[in-house]
Amino acid sequence: MELFKRFKVVITLVLIVLILVVFRSTGINHFRNDAKKWAETSFRHANTIDPEQAKLLKGKSLIINLDKNTKLPLDIAGDLMDIPADSVLSRINIKTILNHNAGPVLLFSEEKGLSSRVWMILSQMGCKNLFILTSDTDNEVFKYKFRPDTMVN
Amino acid sequence: MNTRVKFSVGLLCLGFILALLPLSGSRSFNVKPQKLLSEMLGADTYLSVDQVAKFVISEDSSVQIIDLRSPEEFRAINIPGSINIPYSKLLDNDPSSILNNGKSRNIFYSNGDFDSNYTLAIARGLNMKNTFVMKGGLNEWFNTVMNSSFTGERISARENSLFETRSQAKKMFTALNSLPDSLKMKFIQSKHSAAKKLDGGCE
């Protein structure tokens, strides 16, 4: 007790710092992961799956429809949640997503740009087993043939 | 000030520094998630292929077009004036040296929509606001610009202007990409060194 009295200022300050560090380490209101590491699966496009591949994933899927006015056009077993992209980070939604440990989290949007942006944000926040559900998995394949002008040299 | 107080102040400062340091030595996003999300949902982060075609034909040096595909794909065909930074290599070095080089806009494109939008999220997450995406990528460029044709009898002034832009961009694209590989790369390098000289003032 005598020791506590002598060092109460120091102990109080250390406690404040400790609380700050714990808040920073566990809070969800900021990114704290290595950007490259958490983007890595997207480099190989291993994070995009079609409905057939989704059926083969282990565990119970959490399927998130990011579109406001579109019903999920795909038939996949799992928990379906309609979460418009603008509220995906609301306290309840982000906790549901980050705490889903029963299986993969699948993001769906008709607009591929939207699902890929949300994927990157959630992934950087530490969401594991996160995929983009799309029937257009070869979206990054060039689909045309360029005909060179033979008169140019 | 007695020793106890000095010690406390020192400890507090050290604690604050430690608390504010990034948790790993690696690069992580430095924008708040909610702020990043609202930026990402803005339609102003997208540019259409027609807007990009205008930049291409005007050879606007304030705009940097970035091709995120592999070097092989870039060598085969690319949008005139673009530079190649493969998406998978983007974070190998500090991207700010490329994206914060005084250009008012950095426009990303890949073949489709995924890689360019991942890159945009990364760039904006690293607080580089002058970054945009060409919607639809090179597939949309081909669909809209390279395959553009007019079949009607009358054409409005607006349609005519749009068609003219597409036609000129198509001509430039075809001319550049019809060159043999060696000449094409020389041409691209000469364009970039010329742009650097202009940016640097008189020489």
Side-chain angles (χ1 to χ4, degrees):
Chain A
M1 204 60 190
E2 185 60 32
L3 191 72
F4 179 76
K5 273 185 186 167
R6 268 182 70 191
F7 291 101
K8 68 178 177 192
V9 178
V10 177
I11 290 171
T12 311
L13 292 175
V14 168
L15 277 176
I16 292 170
V17 171
L18 191 69
I19 290 166
L20 279 174
V21 171
V22 169
F23 175 76
R24 185 175 158 75
S25 310
T26 57
I28 53 169
N29 197 25
H30 55 260
F31 296 104
R32 56 178 183 278
N33 297 312
D34 173 15
K36 189 181 176 187
K37 186 185 159 205
W38 288 81
E40 221 144 49
T41 51
S42 67
F43 297 159
R44 308 185 304 273
H45 299 132
N47 60 330
T48 50
I49 53 169
D50 63 27
E52 289 309 309
Q53 291 169 311
K55 284 174 189 167
L56 302 174
L57 292 172
K58 282 179 188 166
K60 193 176 188 186
S61 303
L62 172 64
I63 307 153
I64 298 172
N65 181 15
L66 298 166
D67 292 338
K68 273 181 182 156
N69 304 315
T70 314
K71 287 263 175 209
L72 193 78
L74 311 162
D75 177 32
I76 301 201
D79 293 336
L80 174 65
M81 286 179 79
D82 287 311
I83 305 178
D86 54 4
S87 56
V88 83
L89 294 184
S90 74
R91 205 157 188 82
I92 298 169
N93 291 334
I94 191 65
K95 278 197 168 173
T96 309
I97 295 167
L98 292 174
N99 293 337
H100 180 78
N101 299 319
V105 178
L106 311 177
L107 300 175
F108 174 82
S109 171
E110 289 281 5
E111 201 188 317
K112 288 161 214 77
L114 180 68
S115 49
S116 44
R117 290 172 183 204
V118 173
W119 182 90
M120 187 57 76
I121 292 172
L122 291 177
S123 181
Q124 295 292 329
M125 290 180 80
C127 186
K128 291 172 188 164
N129 216 358
L130 179 68
F131 297 90
I132 293 172
L133 184 61
T134 175
S135 43
D136 185 18
T137 46
D138 64 348
N139 179 270
E140 279 299 337
V141 175
F142 184 57
K143 291 168 183 148
Y144 294 87
K145 189 164 169 56
F146 172 65
R147 292 175 204 284
D149 181 352
T150 49
M151 301 299 282
V152 176
N153 52 45
Chain B
M1 205 186 279
N2 66 29
T3 318
R4 228 169 32 176
V5 175
K6 278 183 194 169
F7 179 65
S8 308
V9 171
L11 201 65
L12 188 68
C13 292
L14 183 71
F16 268 114
I17 292 166
L18 287 176
L20 297 174
L21 277 177
L23 293 185
S24 69
S26 310
R27 198 175 295 112
S28 53
F29 284 13
N30 49 25
V31 175
K32 290 216 165 188
Q34 195 64 54
K35 192 177 169 221
L36 178 60
L37 181 69
S38 54
E39 262 184 47
M40 291 286 91
L41 298 179
D44 56 349
T45 52
Y46 286 110
L47 292 172
S48 69
V49 289
D50 284 319
Q51 285 172 298
V52 176
K54 265 188 194 167
F55 292 135
V56 169
I57 61 171
S58 64
E59 298 189 58
D60 190 336
S61 67
S62 70
V63 171
Q64 181 165 253
I65 304 171
I66 300 172
D67 187 317
L68 299 164
R69 301 170 307 143
S70 67
E72 297 75 38
E73 287 177 296
F74 179 76
R75 266 196 299 277
I77 49 166
N78 62 68
I79 292 178
S82 60
I83 60 165
N84 181 225
I85 305 169
Y87 170 54
S88 59
K89 308 274 179 220
L90 181 80
L91 290 168
D92 283 359
N93 299 306
D94 183 5
S96 65
S97 59
I98 302 156
L99 303 178
N100 281 342
N101 61 357
K103 303 283 182 188
S104 64
R105 286 192 185 102
N106 290 289
I107 306 168
F108 302 120
Y109 77 89
S110 53
N111 283 328
D113 282 301
F114 287 122
D115 289 354
S116 51
N117 283 289
Y118 296 140
T119 307
L120 183 83
I122 291 172
R124 295 271 178 145
L126 295 171
N127 212 8
M128 293 165 210
K129 293 188 187 303
N130 57 344
T131 46
F132 303 84
V133 158
M134 182 175 87
K135 196 167 186 176
L138 207 55
N139 281 323
E140 183 57 29
W141 173 274
F142 261 72
N143 187 36
T144 307
V145 175
M146 302 303 287
N147 295 338
S148 70
S149 60
F150 181 75
T151 49
E153 284 179 10
R154 284 184 177 188
I155 188 165
S156 69
R158 195 175 166 277
E159 284 170 335
N160 188 45
S161 157
L162 193 63
F163 186 71
E164 194 58 38
T165 302
R166 288 176 184 174
S167 171
Q168 282 184 50
K170 179 181 173 177
K171 218 179 271 178
M172 286 176 77
F173 185 97
T174 307
L176 171 70
N177 290 295
S178 301
L179 290 170
D181 273 2
S182 56
L183 278 178
K184 194 196 294 182
M185 294 325 283
K186 267 186 193 165
F187 176 79
I188 289 168
Q189 278 159 8
S190 71
K191 276 278 177 193
H192 288 303
S193 56
K196 272 182 192 165
K197 274 183 190 173
L198 281 174
D199 289 343
C202 303
E203 272 202 26

